Amino acid sequence: MEYSASHSPSRGALSGSLTEQEHTAVNEAINALKSKAGALLPVLHHIQGTLQYVPPSAVPVIAKGLNLSDADVHGVMSFYHEFRQSPPGAHVIQICRAESCQAMGSKSLEQHACSRLGIDYHQTTTDNNFTLEPVYCLGNCMNSPSVRVNDQVYGEMTDEEFDLLLSGLLTKVIEVQSP
């Protein structure tokens, strides 16, 4: 039998706050992976891979579908920092916090990035252009400090290079006027 959030009367109010796209992604993940041992992490990764985040209102749906408590699901989501609970900005910027990058100035780069973007880690700019996240090793240690934007890694990042990178990523608004 396929699991569906709509068959969960005791949790209907919470699952009702999922959009159709979220509802579909959550149910697909549960139905495809619930028979795996330790299915929770694969389910969460599948949902985030599809939606780019795991909606908080999905927690009771996931718990019910995997026969877990809401606290079990929430605990795993809060333990693993890579699970987002809201949609990310158009560009996800990750600054490496591993030892090599720290030794080469990533702490200063973090401060600059937070100041420049006006946000802290795990936040998104008000224009939804950028989400800032920490990451613990990008495998680019010989070019520390490193930053990943979306899936592209940039090494030897300085404050100035960071500013140039941001400028290149900003979406330009073009106003079209009729004749």
Side-chain angles (χ1 to χ4, degrees):
M1 175 177 174
E2 295 264 311
Y3 174 76
S4 174
S6 61
H7 295 116
S8 176
S10 65
R11 300 170 195 258
L14 288 172
S15 65
S17 63
L18 292 173
T19 67
E20 185 175 332
Q21 179 186 16
E22 292 168 341
H23 180 82
T24 299
V26 170
N27 287 328
E28 283 177 357
I30 292 169
N31 290 327
L33 301 165
K34 67 183 173 187
S35 62
K36 289 184 96 166
L40 180 55
L41 278 173
V43 165
L44 293 172
H45 282 291
H46 186 279
I47 293 167
Q48 181 148 313
T50 302
L51 300 173
Q52 298 186 340
Y53 67 104
V54 180
S57 56
V59 168
V61 178
I62 296 165
K64 174 95 171 150
L66 299 180
N67 198 28
L68 299 169
S69 72
D70 291 6
D72 290 332
V73 177
H74 179 73
V76 168
M77 285 180 59
S78 61
F79 180 79
Y80 293 102
H81 63 85
E82 70 265 14
F83 292 119
R84 295 183 201 103
Q85 294 186 32
S86 59
H91 304 286
V92 176
I93 300 171
Q94 296 175 315
I95 299 176
C96 183
R97 300 184 95 188
E99 291 80 8
S100 176
C101 285
Q102 285 185 28
M104 297 302 289
S106 68
K107 286 215 181 263
S108 172
L109 181 61
E110 290 177 41
Q111 292 172 347
H112 177 77
C114 289
S115 174
R116 175 78 162 76
L117 294 168
I119 58 173
D120 203 349
Y121 281 129
H122 306 291
Q123 295 181 342
T124 298
T125 56
T126 56
D127 62 5
N128 288 319
N129 267 321
F130 303 106
T131 296
L132 188 61
E133 297 179 343
V135 66
Y136 298 90
C137 195
L138 292 170
N140 196 33
C141 300
M142 70 184 269
N143 297 308
S144 296
S146 294
V147 170
R148 178 170 50 200
V149 178
N150 304 324
D151 290 324
Q152 181 70 42
V153 176
Y154 301 89
E156 301 177 3
M157 187 62 58
T158 64
D159 293 354
E160 295 77 21
E161 289 291 323
F162 184 83
D163 291 345
L164 287 171
L165 181 60
L166 286 185
S167 295
L169 294 170
L170 284 173
T171 304
K172 307 287 186 213
V173 176
I174 299 173
E175 184 176 335
V176 178
Q177 296 180 354
S178 59

